[in-house]
């Protein structure tokens, strides 16, 4: 059993907490206030109940897993965590500040991991006294379903920390792991995000309808969902954040987010999580 701390109980944090309690870990999830903590718990319970209804887990196991979950609004409760996975929004200053705080609270042997989609790990470790304990562990959405975890080593990460999180993700959580270098987007998002923003550009230009773009990639290439549906699933705010990080890192035009993506995020059309994106999910 690992004493795991998860910072943020949104889509990704809740998914990570769910698979960890199902694997037998004692999991503490940090949220900013009680309402957000209640929402995170509800998210995890809903997903576990779905697994029960699909007979992927027994009702007894689900109950025991949920008994291993604790929600907190105080970071000081992270003092006994052996591993912390941060899953906050992609705001660099927010992550840097949190890691500085975690550095003071946790034991020096604790590993501090970030689930960032695209921000270089060494920048997040900037204010941690010993950056060798900071690593990247990048999960994919939906976390209970997608087998992959990218393990990212910064220039300062220790081989021991990398080995520990690789074993945790692979042997304990049952995920497939790959190693990625500390460049914006790592392996998967560096390939995926240009494809998604290209699809948005194609739709924005009026060249093809959203349905035809999605149908084309599902039926022509065997993708499980088309790029506009996938953008709605990932969250348009996340697609925008990652595209901006990639553009910032490489300065290549094909990473630049198209205006339509910005306008949709500014309008609060974030995809499935907000009920509206390229498609309507309100019902
Ligand atoms: N939580 C748990 N299980 C889920 C789920 C969720 N949110 N969504 C779907 N599932 C399960 C279903 O229960 C079902 O299980 P079963 O086959 O055992 O019954 C299985 O997944 C298939 O689901 P559905 O039949 O409802 O629907 P689909 O066949 O369309 O599959 C999907 C859904 C698995 C999400 C599939 O469409 C898919 O693989 N899409 C691509 C997802 C993807 O590319 N993710 C990566 C995004 S990039 C990212 O996360 C990185 C970030 O940094 C940007």
């Amino acid at each position: 059993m690992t004493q795991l701390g998860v910072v943020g109980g949104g889509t990704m944090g809740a998914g990570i907490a769910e698979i960890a309690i199902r694997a037998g870990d004692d999991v503490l999830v940090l949220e900013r206030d009680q309402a957000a903590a209640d929402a995170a718990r509800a998210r995890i319970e809903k997903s576990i109940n779905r697994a029960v209804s699909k007979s992927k887990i027994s009702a007894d196991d689900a109950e025991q897993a949920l008994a291993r979950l604790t929600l907190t609004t105080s970071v000081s409760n992270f003092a006994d965590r052996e591993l912390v996975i941060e899953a906050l929004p992609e705001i660099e200053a927010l992550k840097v500040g949190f890691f500085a705080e975690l550095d003071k609270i946790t034991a020096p042997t604790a590993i501090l991991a970030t689930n960032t989609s695209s921000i270089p790990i060494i920048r997040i470790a900037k204010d941690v006294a010993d950056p060798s304990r900071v690593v990247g562990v990048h999960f994919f959405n939906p976390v209970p379903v997608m087998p992959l975890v990218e393990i990212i080593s910064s220039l300062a990460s220790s081989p021991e920390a990398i080995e520990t999180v690789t074993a945790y993700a692979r042997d304990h959580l049952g995920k497939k792991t790959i190693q990625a270098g500390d460049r914006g987007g790592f392996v998967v998002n560096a390939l995926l995000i240009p494809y998604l923003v290209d699809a948005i550009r194609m739709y924005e230009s009026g060249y093809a309808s959203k349905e035809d773009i999605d149908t084309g990639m599902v039926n022509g290439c065997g993708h499980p969902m088309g790029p506009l549906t996938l953008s709605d699933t990932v969250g348009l705010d996340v697609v925008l954040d990652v595209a901006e990080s990639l553009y910032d890192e490489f300065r290549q035009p094909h990473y630049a987010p198209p205006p339509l993506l910005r306008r949709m995020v500014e309008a609060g059309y974030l995809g499935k999580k907000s009920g509206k994106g390229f498609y309507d999910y309100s019902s």
Side-chain angles (χ1 to χ4, degrees), residues 50 54 56 117 138 140-142 145 189 192 224-225 230 234:
R50 171 189 179 143
K54 293 212 153 200
K56 288 184 183 164
S117 301
H138 183 216
F140 292 81
N141 181 13
V145 182
N189 279 339
L192 176 67
M225 45 175 62
L230 181 54
V234 165

Side-chain angles (χ1 to χ4, degrees), residues 193-201 204 239-262:
I193 297 298
Y195 157 65
L196 298 184
V197 297
D198 262 355
I200 296 168
R201 263 191 279 275
E204 183 177 32
V239 176
L240 176 60
D241 284 341
V242 183
E244 278 177 335
S245 279
L246 284 166
Y247 185 70
D248 185 45
E249 178 92 328
F250 299 105
R251 301 282 160 179
Q252 288 175 9
H254 66 289
Y255 292 127
L260 176 63
L261 176 59
R262 288 187 193 284

Side-chain angles (χ1 to χ4, degrees), residues 4-18 27-47 69-73 78 84-89 94-95 98 115 141 143 273:
L4 175 71
V6 177
V7 183
T11 307
M12 298 305 286
I16 295 165
E18 178 191 338
V27 179
L28 185 59
V29 178
L30 178 70
E31 263 296 357
R32 62 185 180 282
D33 55 33
Q34 198 51 49
D38 293 345
R41 179 178 281 282
R43 210 169 277 130
I44 297 165
E45 283 176 353
K46 184 176 170 199
S47 187
L69 174 70
T70 310
L71 275 293
T72 181
T73 55
F78 273 46
V84 178
I85 302 179
E86 165 274 316
L88 290 169
L94 182 68
K95 290 182 191 276
F98 242 98
N115 180 57
N141 181 13
V143 177
K273 63 185 165 191

Side-chain angles (χ1 to χ4, degrees), residues 39 49 123 149 199 224 258 261 271:
N49 289 337
R123 295 217 306 248
V149 175
L261 176 59

